Amino acid sequence: MINRPKSINTRLESRLYARGFRRPELRQMVLSQFWMSAGITLLGILLLPLSSWLAFAAVGSILAGVNFYHLAKSMQDMVTMRFTSALLMAVLFRFLGRLLMSGLVLYICITLVNAPVVALLVGLTAAVGSIFVWGCAHILEHNGKEA
């Protein structure tokens, strides 16, 4: 029997599972965001000699991806836990911490580095784009099973 190497997606999905992402749909959404950010980042690096615009879009995309990952993880954990005021405070503290760090990164990019704001916004919307792509794929998969 030949042992074929696992695909990158399978390895990433198993790592997400090991980190607590138990729902397959959630793992697929996080992977979709990862691949969207990876694609924008790769294009930003390859086209950097021509323009830095896409590189700044990559910064926004990575920022959105990190926030999306942690938000998905904390929401999944929160759904399975019993609600307490301590849980609410922990979720708020984490959310506000991420918001503060995101604001700081954006502030540095805009004021100190003079990054184009539109490029950062395009990168930040990558999370919405990846959710849209995941949703379309999920609908097509579901409709295909019914047919």
Side-chain angles (χ1 to χ4, degrees), residues 9-126:
N9 240 16
T10 305
R11 285 185 286 180
L12 289 173
E13 194 165 349
S14 64
R15 284 188 177 169
L16 287 173
Y17 186 85
R19 292 182 185 216
F21 288 90
R22 300 293 183 229
R23 298 184 54 87
E25 298 90 5
L26 192 58
R27 288 193 305 271
Q28 290 170 355
M29 285 175 62
V30 172
L31 279 175
S32 176
Q33 173 59 36
F34 170 79
W35 287 118
M36 180 80 75
S37 292
I40 293 171
T41 302
L42 181 62
L43 279 174
I45 290 169
L46 292 175
L47 299 176
L48 189 58
L50 301 175
S51 172
S52 62
W53 196 91
L54 205 52
F56 287 115
V59 170
S61 177
I62 291 168
L63 188 60
V66 168
N67 280 316
F68 185 78
Y69 172 88
H70 287 289
L71 183 65
K73 178 77 170 98
S74 65
M75 288 301 119
Q76 177 183 266
D77 292 344
M78 198 168 101
V79 168
T80 60
M81 294 177 156
R82 185 169 168 242
F83 181 78
T84 63
S85 59
L87 175 65
L88 177 63
M89 293 304 293
V91 169
L92 282 174
F93 182 75
R94 282 189 225 141
F95 177 76
L96 291 175
R98 280 192 307 274
L99 183 63
L100 178 68
M101 293 306 292
S102 297
L104 185 62
V105 168
L106 290 172
Y107 176 79
I108 289 170
C109 286
I110 293 168
T111 59
L112 300 179
V113 185
N114 293 323
V117 175
V118 174
L120 291 169
L121 289 175
V122 166
L124 287 169
T125 59

